[in-house]
Amino acid sequence: MKVYEIKEILDAEVICGEEFMDRDVYTACGSDMMSDVLAYVKEQAVLLSGLVNPQVVRTAEMMDMQCIVFVRGKQPDQGIVDLAKDRDIVLMTTKQPMFASCGMLYEKGLRGGAMK
Amino acid sequence: MSNFKLHFTVPGDDFTRAGEASGSVKKTLKDLGFNPEIVRKVVIALYEAEINLVIHAGGGEIDVEISPECISMVLTDEGPGIPDVALAMKEGYSTAPDNVRSLGFGAGMGLPNIKKYTDEMKIDSTVGVGTTMYLKVYTA
């Protein structure tokens, strides 16, 4: 799935990384616990989270994740946006809650990553 | 490639900066041309350990030695120490306060994650004195 398809499916607003919308995403992970995210293998994944702090971007950075979607309309502050820009990570926000967001992406064929 | 040494001081009072050292190590390893899978193993383990320094120990020091065969990491702190290392290694066991959980950590996955992503892991800890963690990831 392409990043721009995720934007369309979730009716999301792009906060930064507009130039990377053509990236491929193979798996997804929805979590507010960053240690749980770090416990799973995610190849070119999208992270959905209701947590808004710099560690969400750091976690995505360590995992080589392509894109972060903040659910329930959450908006990151400028420090978080600057960190994501520096790491070439796409940030989006959707008004959809976590459960619905995951379900909508799953319905369109996106799956979770395998446990290592 | 000769051995490469890096040192970082991790501040204990600024959660927003936690991960800076790990991010820097990631950049260095990528620039040196290490396999992306090795880089990921190193930085995930180091990031979890760096977060632990901030949330449990009031900061600490990180030393990284990079050779073509192995990436060695030593994390030292003067925090409260770990009374029962075996218990702390169990998935889901956590002593993190609620404010840490609200930041996305403290699920009791930190040490198990570190063990999972490293080839060698050793913890020396004395209550009231501090903790030193030795980590190694082999490249082959």
Side-chain angles (χ1 to χ4, degrees):
Chain A
M1 186 178 283
K2 299 283 187 184
V3 172
Y4 66 77
E5 292 178 272
I6 293 171
K7 174 188 182 302
E8 288 166 9
I9 292 165
L10 300 179
D11 192 21
E13 169 199 336
V14 180
I15 299 164
C16 71
E18 192 87 50
E19 64 272 40
F20 304 121
M21 299 302 285
D22 208 29
R23 281 178 175 169
D24 287 306
V25 171
Y26 299 124
T27 59
C29 176
S31 182
D32 291 352
M33 290 307 293
M34 294 302 106
S35 280
D36 281 346
V37 178
L38 290 163
Y40 293 87
V41 179
K42 299 286 182 295
E43 292 294 340
Q44 288 185 258
V46 54
L47 172 61
L48 295 101
S49 188
L51 185 70
V52 184
N53 70 40
Q55 300 314 324
V56 179
V57 178
R58 298 262 189 217
T59 298
E61 175 193 3
M62 305 306 164
M63 301 294 285
D64 288 325
M65 289 172 139
Q66 309 285 311
C67 172
I68 299 167
V69 181
F70 295 109
V71 298
R72 298 197 307 280
K74 300 224 175 156
Q75 291 281 351
D77 65 25
Q78 194 57 45
I80 297 172
V81 175
D82 289 345
L83 197 61
K85 280 182 180 171
D86 190 55
R87 269 71 177 171
D88 293 342
I89 294 170
V90 180
L91 293 188
M92 292 194 255
T93 182
T94 177
K95 290 194 167 58
Q96 297 290 344
M98 176 70 93
F99 182 77
S101 299
C102 293
M104 291 159 93
L105 294 177
Y106 193 93
E107 191 179 31
K108 295 291 183 183
L110 200 59
R111 294 292 181 263
M115 268 194 84
K116 192 168 186 178
Chain B
M1 185 185 92
S2 57
N3 286 13
F4 213 89
K5 289 184 181 178
L6 300 168
H7 177 83
F8 304 91
T9 297
V10 178
D13 54 353
D14 190 354
F15 184 75
T16 63
R17 289 182 59 193
E20 281 186 1
S22 305
S24 176
V25 170
K26 180 181 184 184
K27 185 175 183 317
T28 300
L29 293 175
K30 277 177 79 173
D31 290 348
L32 289 170
F34 280 93
N35 176 311
E37 199 49 46
I38 297 293
V39 176
R40 193 187 310 191
K41 285 172 67 176
V42 169
V43 299
I44 291 172
L46 187 59
Y47 179 52
E48 287 277 19
E50 185 179 354
I51 292 285
N52 277 349
L53 285 183
V54 176
I55 64 180
H56 289 297
E61 305 291 325
I62 300 177
D63 286 287
V64 181
E65 185 166 353
I66 302 164
S67 76
E69 299 80 29
C70 179
I71 292 101
S72 302
M73 296 157 271
V74 180
L75 296 97
T76 311
D77 68 64
E78 296 177 353
I82 306 169
D84 186 337
V85 173
L87 184 60
M89 289 299 299
K90 282 191 175 177
E91 281 192 13
Y93 177 80
S94 177
T95 58
D98 285 346
N99 68 318
V100 168
R101 291 203 178 86
S102 71
L103 295 168
F105 291 91
M109 291 301 292
L111 292 180
N113 273 355
I114 293 169
K115 186 169 178 58
K116 185 163 83 173
Y117 288 109
T118 53
D119 296 307
E120 288 182 26
M121 175 187 187
K122 180 173 169 255
I123 297 173
D124 286 337
S125 190
T126 305
V127 173
V129 177
T131 300
T132 302
M133 187 184 295
Y134 304 88
L135 306 173
K136 284 188 179 182
V137 173
Y138 293 104
T139 57

